[in-house]
Amino acid sequence: MAKNVSRALSLLAAVALGALAAWVLLRPASPRLPDTAVVVEQMREVARLETLDVSLYKKVTFTPEPQATDALWKDVLLWASYTLQNPHGRAIVFADAHLGFDFQRFDARHLHAVGTRVDVLLPPLQVTVALRPGETEIIDSNLDSAQTAQLLEKARLAFEREVRQDRRLQEKARQSAERSLRGLLLTLGFREVRFVETLPVGSAG
């Protein structure tokens, strides 16, 4: 009887050891996460492709007594009234706005990884506006070439201020960047990606 019990216990022990060995051999390996510098560089590369482009146009009218209804464009009209003798004319200005995050300033201090979870602090959003002179039309104007260039630069700055104040466009740019960066980080081995406003004090890499 004792011999049978001993055999049964030995068999159970062998089965248990076999199961343990199989679990150790077959369990999913922990992902090998890349070096922080590699992560930063790949995030920069992805972010360069994630610039939101928006086409803009604006009809600008300047008269001896301009009546600006849009405060953002008031300085454009006032500039014309004070710079020119009997200013008059109309311009339809076209431009392209580009919204993207300044990843040139992105480094390990913008990441905080704990195991397979990573927190990301996005760098500041950049807005640039480029006029499309080939499509911009000056109508019935008494501006010379230098004055026209000044007026167009003021229009470009007004476009830029408008875009900077457009929360909808900023949120669209942010969502696009987060979507691409989250996909990259998940493929690199992270299992949870969070975009945060601040990182823990003293965190780096």
Side-chain angles (χ1 to χ4, degrees):
M1 181 71 175
K3 193 177 290 187
N4 290 336
V5 171
S6 178
R7 279 183 189 168
L9 290 175
S10 298
L11 182 59
L12 287 174
V15 171
L17 286 173
L20 179 60
W23 179 81
V24 170
L25 292 173
L26 298 177
R27 66 176 177 173
S30 298
R32 292 186 178 180
L33 300 177
D35 181 74
T36 300
V38 175
V39 175
V40 168
E41 186 57 34
Q42 293 197 34
M43 291 180 71
R44 284 176 176 172
E45 290 298 325
V46 169
R48 288 192 187 102
L49 304 176
E50 283 304 319
T51 300
L52 178 65
D53 297 322
V54 182
S55 296
L56 309 167
Y57 75 93
K58 188 83 171 183
K59 184 177 181 180
V60 182
T61 302
F62 40 94
T63 63
E65 295 181 4
Q67 299 295 323
T69 58
D70 186 341
L72 288 172
W73 292 85
K74 187 175 181 180
D75 67 329
V76 176
L77 304 183
L78 291 179
W79 170 85
S81 68
Y82 288 121
T83 302
L84 304 174
Q85 281 285 340
N86 186 29
H88 64 275
R90 290 172 296 154
I92 303 176
V93 184
F94 291 82
D96 292 316
H98 310 280
L99 296 88
F101 290 91
D102 184 10
F103 269 79
Q104 291 301 316
R105 298 167 56 182
F106 187 84
D107 55 28
R109 293 172 296 179
H110 293 79
L111 293 174
H112 180 235
V114 178
T116 57
R117 189 191 77 199
V118 61
D119 292 341
V120 181
L121 177 63
L122 290 176
L125 182 69
Q126 284 185 320
V127 175
T128 59
V129 172
L131 297 182
R132 288 188 279 174
E135 299 180 36
T136 295
E137 185 177 0
I138 305 294
I139 307 170
D140 186 26
S141 171
N142 64 353
L143 297 172
D144 61 26
S145 59
Q147 292 166 336
T148 299
Q150 293 179 50
L151 178 62
L152 292 178
E153 174 60 15
K154 288 183 176 293
R156 187 191 68 79
L157 293 174
F159 273 131
E160 191 172 290
R161 288 197 298 272
E162 279 189 341
V163 174
R164 289 185 184 279
Q165 294 180 16
D166 192 325
R167 299 298 180 190
R168 181 186 61 84
L169 285 178
Q170 293 178 23
E171 183 60 25
K172 187 175 180 180
R174 184 181 183 91
Q175 289 177 358
S176 179
E178 288 184 0
R179 184 166 53 250
S180 294
L181 294 173
R182 177 176 284 108
L184 169 67
L185 292 168
L186 290 175
T187 63
L188 292 177
F190 294 100
R191 293 176 178 168
E192 183 181 359
V193 180
R194 304 190 308 182
F195 293 92
V196 297
E197 296 299 324
T198 59
L199 292 176
V201 177
S203 64

